[in-house]
Amino acid sequence: MLTAKLDRVPNPVAEMKLAFDEMRDANGLVRESYRSFAQWMESTPAEVIARKREEADITFHRVGITFAVYGEDEGKERLIPFDIVPRIISAKEWKRVEDGLRQRVKALNAFIHDIYHGQEIIKAGRIPLQQILGNSQFRKEMVGVDVPGNIYAHIAGVDLVRADTSAASGEYFVLEDNLRTPSGVSYMLEDRKMMMRLFPELFARQAIAPVEHYPDKLLNNLRSVAPAGANDPNVVVLTPGQFNSAYFEHAFLAQQMGVELVEGNDLVVRDHTVYMRTTDGLRQVDVIYRRIDDDYLDPLAFRKDSALGVPGLFAAYCAGRVTLANAVGTGIADDKAMYIHVPEMIRFYCGEEPILPNVPTWELSKPDDYRYVLDHLAEVVVKEVHGSGGYGMLVGPTSSKEELRVFREKIIAEPARYIAQPTLALSTCPTFVETGVAPRHIDLRPYVLSGKDVTMVPGGLTRVALKEGSLVVNSSQGGGTKDTWVLEH
Amino acid sequence: MLSSTADHLYWMARSIERAENAARMLDVTYNMSLLQRTGVDPFNEWRAMLSISGLHVDFETRYPEPSAENVLYFMALDAQNPGSIYQSIFKARENARAVRRTITSEMWETLNQTWLEMRRIQEETIPEDGMSRFFEWVKERSHLSRGITHGTLLRDDAFRFLRLGSFIERADNTARILDVKYHILLPSPSEVGGAADYYQWSALLRSVSSFESYRKVYRDQITPQRVAELLILRGDMPRSLMACMSEVDRLIVELNGPRSAELLRRSGMLHSELRYGTIKDIFDFGLHEYLSSFLERIYELGDLVNTTYFWSVDE
């Protein structure tokens, strides 16, 4: 049935050349949202722009906005390339995206709560029980555990891509729901700061929605889910430590929120209460914004060899003495196998039709889908069900024969480990490259905060694949970032 | 402040101070060893240096003899020696890295730069006659990092923990440097008052940048009692035990905290004894014995800092 639906998606390879251009329409005319920016670019001398780009590079280096890449020498921190052409979204477009995100994240939170409580969605026959119980992301320890406000995914980084379909031009699709420890928001903030510093005149020309208050919103959100009885909740950010690739962001967010950045051995549990060790003695901790995976949180509950975690933390959590954000067990909903069911979750929990569609997806555990994908391997994108960060995926159209052959064998060996999607022609945005300004594929990661309310700052992080024709935007795979502007009217 | 943050700051400062003092101690030893005396073990000074640093066991397992070349390498550049200058600079940088958000960026950049240069120097290895220049470099980097800390860092508890580390380490090191003389003289007490004796005391003074101060304060010839008085009891000598302990005591009072009663008592006592002590009493007791007991007590004080602020056992 799913295959039949996919037939309506036009030939993806042909479409690559005609990707939706964020700046210009099919006739080459500058879109309304980009008009002011395009005028500015035409009237600003090339040398001025070149100088500003250089300034951006130097500043990023000095501030040290870097990330460590797995597998590279310790201390070799890389800079994420920053492009000065913003990604601009009109107010009307954003309104729809925002409504869609809010609806989706509400449904996801309802789903996680349901899975660890009544499992109504399974009883209703909408999702097969086996897909839950057989899933490595399902935490049986969480069954029956209540969390404040029934919120699990306090911070969601939903990846959106934009592509033309036969039905609509520039449709937004949800590619992934990142519900565990989505990263990248520090780049969103630093990119904006950089743009305002380099081109203040651009911000004077039109009303661009601010994003700088994200850390305040995040702090409010975290405080709103503190355990009952915490008057002035003490929030901390828990990091695996300075060798983690996202350490910069952990330190940055803690500093911006004005809270402590802690590692596992800074925390101690006594009588089901979590404390941090300070020079003035123990101080109670109410909310932990943890950037450590479930497995490493508590050696008594999960991986025994974890040196990063806090012994007794999970018991304190189950006793309702501390809030973990995101909750333990959210991975069940951002798994690529579960992704397929999100539209159904929205119908089930919200009683609404999804505003933002999924990218059509083949499940290789299903015989029909399996056959179709193996027959069309050079046209599709294959991903690991549990993979993330752009590692271990295959982009059919840009892969060599040898790469295709190797991947085919991997699929045949373990079909259930993979899903596949059509190679969407991700929208492009003009980007500075060595030869001048050229279109490059982009995506968008808005950060959705759930606590007392569901909120977000307009826009998010736009990632750009800097290699010509590349569809992989991950920073670990050579991607860069852009400032994202949502116009206020 | 988080205990671990305070811990990193404290050890960052201690490591820098330790590197500087190792350079000072090696410098004085090297100078003393140049004065060859007949009938004395040629490795006398180097043996003394190892034993007061408490590193002789580790040294003996890996080196054939305590020659100048071996000890200099071991103490300055040996990456396997936890007390080498190389290791101290490494530790200072690693601790700084862990608290990059607490210290100023200038402080971090200076330490990082020092470490990068140290790595380069270690790879090139230094000729024996280049050692003095290397020691100068170590001292300069330490001065620089202290100056930047002073000139840029907010005067809060972070600043106090840094200072606490510096002065506890310095008190320990000044006491050890003074004790070098005891270890070196031991084999031939008959030389007391001779030319070699004079040369050794003045080298010792120079190693703690106190030669000129001595002249200014005493306007007289160099005698052991006065050198000891200058480096133990004079509050206006920035490297003296008295100067270090009055800083330590003041910092501990300022830091305070719910568990600091015992620490306050101990540092207050040590400070008072220096403040009201006389050099005659110290010499009657025995200088070496006095310094050994001081080293023990400064060690206990460090231990108490650790359990009071960083890793309390009873929490």
Side-chain angles (χ1 to χ4, degrees):
Chain A
M1 200 184 86
L2 194 60
T3 330
K5 216 174 355 180
L6 285 169
D7 287 339
R8 288 200 300 273
V9 178
N11 180 353
V13 181
E15 211 175 328
M16 294 272 294
K17 298 180 188 95
L18 299 164
F20 180 87
D21 185 324
E22 298 280 347
M23 187 162 169
R24 289 169 197 280
D25 66 19
N27 303 317
L29 295 173
V30 174
R31 294 181 199 276
E32 171 84 39
S33 54
Y34 270 90
R35 212 155 283 165
S36 165
F37 180 78
Q39 278 165 8
W40 171 84
M41 206 144 116
E42 263 162 41
S43 62
T44 307
E47 322 75 270
V48 172
I49 293 180
R51 206 177 57 232
K52 299 264 183 176
R53 287 183 60 218
E54 216 167 279
E55 196 182 323
D57 256 14
I58 292 166
T59 311
F60 273 132
H61 259 295
R62 211 188 51 223
V63 183
I65 302 168
T66 58
F67 71 104
V69 181
Y70 289 114
E72 288 201 16
D73 238 8
E74 178 261 311
K76 264 194 194 155
E77 289 157 340
R78 253 206 257 153
L79 209 60
I80 295 192
F82 165 73
D83 184 68
I84 63 158
V85 181
R87 189 261 185 82
I88 307 175
I89 301 171
S90 73
K92 193 170 145 241
E93 225 172 74
W94 175 253
K95 171 80 173 63
R96 195 173 150 265
V97 170
E98 185 175 336
D99 289 346
L101 290 169
R102 191 169 278 132
Q103 175 196 54
R104 188 166 177 110
V105 171
K106 271 185 187 165
L108 285 164
N109 271 310
F111 168 73
I112 304 167
H113 178 259
D114 185 24
I115 285 304
Y116 293 120
H117 291 81
Q119 303 193 334
E120 303 300 332
I121 197 163
I122 297 170
K123 288 176 190 154
R126 308 285 188 97
I127 293 176
L129 177 64
Q130 204 36 50
Q131 287 218 355
I132 304 293
L133 298 183
N135 193 311
S136 65
Q137 294 298 320
F138 176 69
R139 294 271 167 206
K140 58 181 188 318
E141 299 89 340
M142 284 300 289
V143 173
V145 174
D146 291 317
V147 298
N150 296 338
I151 300 294
Y152 290 77
H154 307 91
I155 300 104
V158 182
D159 285 345
L160 301 175
V161 295
R162 217 172 167 198
D164 283 331
T165 66
S166 47
S169 158
E171 174 76 281
Y172 282 92
F173 291 93
V174 176
L175 190 64
E176 249 171 52
D177 302 289
N178 296 290
L179 305 179
R180 280 171 274 184
T181 53
S183 62
V185 77
S186 54
Y187 300 107
M188 170 186 91
L189 295 168
E190 290 292 346
D191 286 356
R192 173 59 57 87
K193 209 158 88 192
M194 184 61 72
M195 284 301 277
M196 292 191 79
R197 182 196 155 115
L198 295 179
F199 309 112
E201 67 274 22
L202 276 172
F203 290 83
R205 288 171 81 117
Q206 60 195 130
I208 297 159
V211 298
E212 298 84 335
H213 55 302
Y214 178 82
D216 293 329
K217 267 185 158 342
L218 176 61
L219 182 60
N220 280 339
N221 193 60
L222 292 168
R223 289 167 65 104
S224 81
V225 290
N231 287 333
D232 181 15
N234 181 21
V235 177
V236 298
V237 177
L238 176 62
T239 173
Q242 51 176 317
F243 298 106
N244 183 272
S245 61
Y247 180 74
F248 164 79
E249 178 159 300
H250 308 160
F252 175 88
L253 286 175
Q255 193 195 35
Q256 295 289 309
M257 289 193 285
V259 304
E260 290 288 357
L261 175 69
V262 302
E263 294 182 30
N265 57 14
D266 289 315
L267 299 180
V268 56
V269 180
R270 297 273 183 272
D271 302 325
H272 286 158
T273 306
V274 183
Y275 298 94
M276 60 183 187
R277 301 174 205 264
T278 79
T279 53
D280 287 330
L282 296 179
R283 190 174 159 215
Q284 193 176 337
V285 171
D286 304 295
V287 181
I288 303 176
Y289 177 25
R290 48 92 172 214
R291 299 290 294 255
I292 294 184
D293 290 343
D294 288 356
D295 277 342
Y296 297 95
L297 271 180
D298 178 353
L300 300 180
F302 306 111
R303 275 180 71 146
K304 287 171 186 45
D305 60 342
S306 169
L308 306 173
V310 186
L313 176 58
F314 189 66
Y317 179 59
C318 292
R321 300 282 290 155
V322 68
T323 301
L324 292 173
N326 290 350
V328 173
T330 55
I332 187 66
D334 82 348
D335 178 82
K336 291 191 182 71
M338 213 49 61
Y339 162 86
I340 297 158
H341 304 293
V342 178
E344 199 51 35
M345 292 175 199
I346 295 171
R347 290 182 200 107
F348 187 77
Y349 298 109
C350 308
E352 296 166 7
E353 271 307 304
I355 298 169
L356 295 171
N358 267 11
V359 176
T361 303
W362 294 284
E363 298 169 80
L364 299 200
S365 51
K366 291 186 177 166
D368 284 356
D369 288 11
Y370 173 76
R371 233 170 294 121
Y372 179 87
V373 169
L374 283 191
D375 286 348
H376 298 83
L377 202 56
E379 297 159 26
V380 301
V381 176
V382 187
K383 295 176 183 173
E384 282 186 37
V385 172
H386 302 304
S388 67
Y391 292 97
M393 65 185 270
L394 173 88
V395 181
T398 60
S399 297
S400 68
K401 278 209 170 110
E402 180 57 17
E403 284 167 327
L404 288 171
R405 190 189 61 77
V406 171
F407 219 94
R408 179 183 298 272
E409 278 170 17
K410 284 201 217 170
I411 296 171
I412 292 170
E414 261 181 295
R417 238 181 101 183
Y418 300 95
I419 54 124
Q421 291 167 339
T423 310
L424 287 184
L426 306 191
S427 63
T428 63
C429 183
T431 301
F432 276 92
V433 294
E434 268 172 35
T435 51
V437 178
R440 289 292 181 267
H441 296 291
I442 56 171
D443 80 347
L444 176 66
R445 177 179 288 184
Y447 297 87
V448 185
L449 301 175
S450 304
K452 228 181 186 138
D453 309 296
V454 179
T455 59
M456 66 199 88
V457 297
L461 177 68
T462 294
R463 297 185 296 178
V464 52
L466 293 172
K467 268 186 268 170
E468 188 172 3
S470 170
L471 294 167
V472 186
V473 295
N474 302 76
S475 55
S476 52
Q477 315 284 323
T481 66
K482 284 169 172 289
D483 191 15
T484 309
W485 295 359
V486 172
L487 302 183
E488 301 216 90
H489 34 74
Chain B
M1 177 185 300
L2 274 184
S3 293
S4 59
T5 305
D7 194 10
H8 284 302
L9 291 165
Y10 173 82
W11 281 105
M12 172 185 140
R14 277 197 81 151
S15 304
I16 300 166
E17 190 69 30
R18 188 170 291 181
E20 177 185 338
N21 283 288
R24 290 177 178 279
M25 200 139 52
L26 284 166
D27 207 16
V28 63
T29 309
Y30 184 64
N31 283 323
M32 286 185 186
S33 76
L34 292 177
L35 194 75
Q36 285 298 326
R37 286 162 298 152
T38 48
V40 178
D41 172 9
F43 300 146
N44 187 24
E45 284 78 9
W46 298 111
R47 266 189 234 288
M49 161 90 210
L50 288 170
S51 89
I52 59 161
S53 313
L55 297 163
H56 49 288
V57 179
D58 181 24
F59 178 85
E60 280 155 19
T61 57
R62 294 194 286 120
Y63 292 82
E65 55 180 31
S67 64
E69 194 192 354
N70 284 345
V71 179
L72 282 173
Y73 185 83
F74 174 74
M75 289 298 296
L77 304 176
D78 191 338
Q80 288 177 53
N81 170 13
S84 69
I85 292 174
Y86 177 90
Q87 271 295 327
S88 293
I89 291 178
F90 171 73
K91 281 180 212 150
R93 189 259 192 179
E94 283 306 289
N95 279 297
R97 191 176 140 106
V99 290
R100 252 174 101 165
R101 295 257 154 197
T102 309
I103 59 179
T104 60
S105 51
E106 287 102 320
M107 287 169 71
W108 158 248
E109 280 160 24
T110 303
L111 275 175
N112 193 37
Q113 186 62 30
T114 305
W115 164 240
L116 295 175
E117 281 173 40
M118 179 70 245
R119 229 167 33 170
R120 190 181 49 75
I121 292 170
Q122 200 242 16
E123 277 164 16
E124 287 170 0
T125 70
I126 313 162
E128 200 184 301
D129 62 356
M131 275 323 240
S132 284
R133 229 178 32 240
F134 171 68
F135 297 141
E136 279 307 313
W137 174 80
V138 176
K139 279 192 272 177
E140 269 171 29
R141 296 308 294 188
S142 174
H143 291 323
L144 184 59
S145 103
R146 188 166 32 247
I148 286 172
T149 304
H150 257 264
T152 63
L153 191 65
L154 185 71
R155 291 331 192 233
D156 62 359
D157 281 355
F159 185 75
R160 292 185 190 100
F161 278 110
L162 281 167
R163 302 268 293 172
L164 188 61
S166 299
F167 284 105
I168 286 184
E169 184 67 26
R170 189 184 294 175
D172 174 288
N173 286 284
T174 297
R176 285 179 201 272
I177 288 176
L178 255 175
D179 217 19
V180 171
K181 189 52 185 137
Y182 166 82
H183 285 268
I184 291 172
L185 266 187
L186 202 59
S188 55
S190 61
E191 290 183 4
V192 175
D197 194 38
Y198 168 82
Y199 186 78
Q200 286 174 347
W201 283 113
S202 60
L204 193 148
L205 280 173
R206 284 182 211 279
S207 79
V208 284
S209 312
S210 306
F211 188 78
E212 292 91 344
S213 306
Y214 183 97
R215 291 296 193 205
K216 243 177 163 167
V217 172
Y218 297 103
R219 301 177 181 284
D220 202 351
Q221 62 179 351
I222 293 170
T223 70
Q225 290 220 349
R226 283 178 187 151
V227 174
E229 185 183 59
L230 189 71
L231 296 184
I232 296 174
L233 298 176
R234 291 226 35 141
D236 50 4
M237 270 304 301
R239 309 196 77 81
S240 73
L241 304 188
M242 171 64 191
C244 293
M245 276 315 300
S246 69
E247 270 299 320
V248 167
D249 197 35
R250 194 175 55 81
L251 288 164
I252 287 171
V253 169
E254 283 176 14
L255 282 167
N256 212 336
R259 291 177 308 210
S260 65
E262 180 61 10
L263 183 60
L264 275 165
R265 192 180 71 77
R266 297 273 197 106
S267 82
M269 261 173 74
L270 204 48
H271 180 210
S272 306
E273 283 170 30
L274 285 163
R275 190 165 168 197
Y276 300 112
T278 67
I279 200 64
K280 185 178 172 304
D281 288 347
I282 291 172
F283 270 69
D284 287 350
F285 183 69
L287 181 60
H288 171 65
E289 288 69 22
Y290 175 83
L291 291 172
S292 302
S293 132
F294 180 84
L295 281 171
E296 216 165 282
R297 292 170 72 187
I298 202 84
Y299 177 83
E300 285 166 8
L301 201 68
D303 222 27
L304 213 48
V305 166
N306 197 39
T307 50
T308 303
Y309 295 120
F310 311 150
W311 300 111
S312 171
V313 278
D314 57 328
E315 52 188 29

